[in-house]
Amino acid sequence: MKTIKKRSWAEPYKMKMVELLKMTTEKQRLKAIKDAGYNTFLLPSADVYIDLLTDSGTNSMSDRQWSAFMTGDEAYAGSKSYYILEETIQKYYGYKYVVPTHQGRAAENILSQILIKKGDIVPGNMYFTTTRLHQELAGGIFADVIIDEAHDPLSEHPFKGNVDIAKLDKLVKKHGAKKIPYVCVATNVNMAGGQPVSMENLKELRAYTKKHGIRIIHDMTRVAENAFFIQQREKGYAKKTIAQIVKEICSYTDGATMSAKKDALVNIGGFMAINDWDVFEEARNLVVVYEGLHTYGGLAGRDMEAVAVGIVESLNDDHQKARVGQVEYLGHKMMEYNIPIVKPIGGHGIFVDAKAFLPHLTQDQFPAQTLAAELYVDSGVRTMERGIVSAGRKPNGENYYPKLELVRFTIPRRVYTQAHMDVIAESAAAVYERRKSIKGLKMVYEPKYLRFFQARFEKLK
Ligand code: F0G
């Protein structure tokens, strides 16, 4: 008898309910994408087969989260559910004070208004669209301090999310530490392709900022995925649990903004957390203006209950192994078809290098936007542009020209199967085969803020 060498792993859950999907024809999809101005954000989801637009708010909740929904306390003030959320955040992340918000950008708005003064410099390990916009609306100037490797889709650096302390030091020397209200550190950097920050880098950054009296604000939207990579790749962490690693990451920072719609496995929710009482006092006052009383911050009691349970589930080692494992499965499939993807494979999705995929298009012909539209037409798979359209314009009106021109295949948590991953990779391969015949786009409508959400395009002849 042969001994079986390979032992596959599988998800630590099974399905209890399914959502039926509509299948469409290529003719229907050609019309749908034209009607949507070649912007996948403007497609009705009913016309989408596999939805990889985002991992935000698209997760499947567990039976425990749904049960927690029923225990939500919908009191306007002092909801029991708020105290459960607060206690969970204190226990697992270690931050002292918590202000719930309806999602991440609301926390960014409040924090930016409190900490940033006009003309301040806000360094960050690459930008995120909403985060940078709120920094700019508060009068700040964003400065990218991520390591150079992060802008190179071919670099296999294991921690492409790291902060380049020399870049930060240059800013401090040029502007003075007083002009820098905080360094914004995102874990598992979204725009770099879901790439982690190392614990070593965080420790160095903590030491540096302590010396200069600068805060670190943590965009902890995907902190558990970052912790998984630390466990896999960083010396000394293989035997630590995701929960232990997450707590250590947070301990090197002074506060956080969180979109619970990602890691924390819910469909809506977020918060701001901070260790500084004075900032908390201002935040819990300001949240009343934009979101609601500080014990619900724009969320229903049941939402806060589901976030609390989701946080605990996100820190389970088997969960993270299956979550990132599924993304890696898709990435390896794509590589088998020679599709140019950002490496190492990221935590929340596969990022296809549209410049390498469609080298005959200039960046002004929107290669990533074009590729996302073509993929939809091929198979009904919906992806997202993360290139020149997402990068938008500088406060002076000029276009940002990001080095990375990517299409993001974002994988919702606990939603799709391995067979779905096969269909996705095969569709990307089919489009890759006919890539030379693909024409670019021109932008015919550009909204003022976060243009990628609502911009419209036409096909170039
Ligand atoms: N920070 C990061 C790193 C994010 O990825 C997001 C959202 C936010 C902040 C804002 O949070 O959406 O709850 O207001 N990212 C989503 C995405 C939209 O598709 O990547 P939000």
Side-chain angles (χ1 to χ4, degrees):
M1 214 173 82
K2 260 191 175 169
T3 2
I4 297 171
K5 286 254 167 58
K6 180 173 175 193
R7 300 308 295 257
S8 293
W9 57 271
E11 290 78 2
Y13 53 83
K14 60 183 178 178
M15 287 166 206
K16 195 174 256 180
M17 188 187 275
V18 295
E19 179 180 338
L20 301 183
L21 300 173
K22 181 172 108 185
M23 308 301 276
T24 50
T25 63
E26 187 176 307
K27 198 171 154 211
Q28 287 169 328
R29 293 192 294 270
L30 274 167
K31 180 175 182 313
I33 195 74
K34 193 166 177 230
D35 290 349
Y38 296 91
N39 185 347
T40 51
F41 275 102
L42 300 178
L43 285 168
S45 88
D47 291 336
V48 172
Y49 173 38
I50 303 176
D51 203 348
L52 309 184
L53 187 73
T54 178
D55 61 330
S56 181
T58 51
N59 307 301
S60 288
M61 292 213 296
S62 68
D63 49 357
R64 290 174 208 190
Q65 285 176 292
W66 281 110
S67 321
F69 244 47
M70 296 305 296
T71 65
D73 173 6
E74 307 305 341
Y76 189 94
S79 162
K80 160 181 90 50
S81 310
Y82 166 75
Y83 297 107
I84 288 174
L85 177 64
E86 182 193 42
E87 205 178 288
T88 306
I89 292 166
Q90 289 167 340
K91 178 170 171 193
Y92 291 99
Y93 299 144
Y95 297 118
K96 280 191 193 154
Y97 309 115
V98 178
V99 179
T101 57
H102 80 279
Q103 60 182 70
R105 70 197 69 182
E108 292 164 358
N109 174 30
I110 289 165
L111 187 98
S112 300
Q113 285 200 42
I114 295 169
L115 294 182
I116 300 172
K117 291 193 299 295
K118 197 169 167 25
D120 278 354
I121 311 293
V122 189
N125 56 345
M126 210 173 257
Y127 81 101
F128 183 70
T129 53
T130 59
T131 322
R132 186 180 65 196
L133 180 60
H134 281 298
Q135 291 162 357
E136 289 172 349
L137 289 173
I141 301 158
F142 169 80
D144 190 6
V145 292
I146 203 164
I147 57 170
D148 287 340
E149 286 86 343
H151 293 281
D152 175 3
L154 294 178
S155 161
E156 302 229 14
H157 192 294
F159 292 103
K160 280 169 115 172
N162 280 356
V163 172
D164 185 332
I165 312 253
K167 284 186 193 169
L168 178 61
D169 189 50
K170 239 179 158 171
L171 288 174
V172 171
K173 293 219 164 88
K174 187 168 168 204
H175 304 279
K178 287 221 159 56
K179 275 270 183 204
I180 301 177
Y182 60 90
V183 181
C184 179
V185 176
T187 33
N188 236 43
V189 182
N190 188 355
M191 300 302 273
Q195 303 292 328
V197 184
S198 73
M199 200 71 89
E200 189 188 7
N201 186 248
L202 284 168
K203 281 189 210 169
E204 274 176 43
L205 183 67
R206 174 75 295 178
Y208 178 88
T209 50
K210 203 168 177 188
K211 202 167 78 196
H212 293 275
I214 301 172
R215 283 193 181 92
I216 300 176
I217 297 296
H218 178 197
D219 180 341
M220 63 182 304
T221 297
R222 296 183 183 83
V223 66
E225 288 166 13
N226 196 118
F228 176 77
F229 287 125
I230 289 179
Q231 189 187 53
Q232 299 299 305
R233 296 176 189 168
E234 194 161 350
K235 213 171 141 245
Y237 288 91
K239 292 218 162 63
K240 297 222 159 136
T241 63
I242 302 275
Q244 287 169 326
I245 299 170
V246 163
K247 190 116 185 229
E248 185 179 341
I249 292 173
C250 297
S251 76
Y252 301 129
T253 69
D254 302 291
T257 55
M258 168 70 154
S259 169
K261 300 169 74 173
K262 283 81 164 175
D263 252 12
L265 296 160
V266 289
N267 305 120
I268 194 76
F271 59 82
M272 195 201 104
I274 194 92
N275 293 336
D276 184 323
W277 172 264
D278 295 336
V279 178
F280 169 64
E281 248 202 330
E282 259 187 88
R284 80 174 165 178
N285 186 210
L286 211 48
V287 77
V288 185
V289 181
Y290 296 105
E291 297 280 290
L293 196 70
H294 59 279
T295 54
Y296 75 86
L299 291 172
R302 54 179 168 270
D303 296 320
M304 294 190 281
E305 297 276 348
V307 174
V309 177
I311 287 171
V312 179
E313 290 181 1
S314 79
L315 301 177
N316 178 288
D317 287 63
D318 291 323
H319 163 72
Q320 276 311 331
K321 189 172 160 204
R323 190 296 183 266
V324 179
Q326 187 177 46
V327 176
E328 284 178 343
Y329 176 85
L330 176 61
H332 287 298
K333 276 254 150 187
M334 297 253 214
M335 287 192 305
E336 279 169 29
Y337 291 120
N338 294 318
I339 296 164
I341 65 169
V342 172
K343 288 179 207 150
I345 294 168
H348 65 303
I350 301 304
F351 290 67
V352 170
D353 181 354
K355 276 188 192 166
F357 198 111
L358 300 172
H360 56 287
L361 300 188
T362 66
Q363 202 165 12
D364 289 311
Q365 294 172 333
F366 309 108
Q369 190 78 29
T370 303
L371 180 51
E374 293 288 336
L375 283 160
Y376 170 73
V377 173
D378 182 75
S379 58
V381 170
R382 169 156 72 171
T383 56
M384 182 200 287
E385 192 265 8
R386 290 274 89 149
I388 186 168
V389 187
S390 293
R393 292 179 188 272
K394 300 176 190 170
N396 70 7
E398 282 169 27
N399 271 316
Y400 283 107
Y401 279 90
K403 278 210 185 108
L404 297 179
E405 178 73 25
L406 309 174
V407 175
R408 189 179 73 171
F409 293 59
T410 345
I411 312 297
R413 296 162 191 78
R414 308 193 292 207
V415 173
Y416 292 114
T417 66
Q418 195 155 308
H420 286 120
M421 298 302 123
D422 292 340
V423 168
I424 296 159
E426 287 157 20
S427 172
V431 177
Y432 193 54
E433 247 173 33
R434 60 174 178 81
R435 63 191 179 278
K436 291 203 175 101
S437 67
I438 294 173
K439 297 208 172 77
L441 296 169
K442 70 169 181 223
M443 202 189 295
V444 292
Y445 167 67
E446 180 179 353
K448 187 168 165 204
Y449 299 112
L450 303 173
R451 66 183 181 185
F452 57 97
F453 284 129
Q454 290 145 339
R456 299 186 70 86
F457 300 82
E458 278 172 12
K459 264 227 159 302
L460 290 173
K461 293 267 161 0

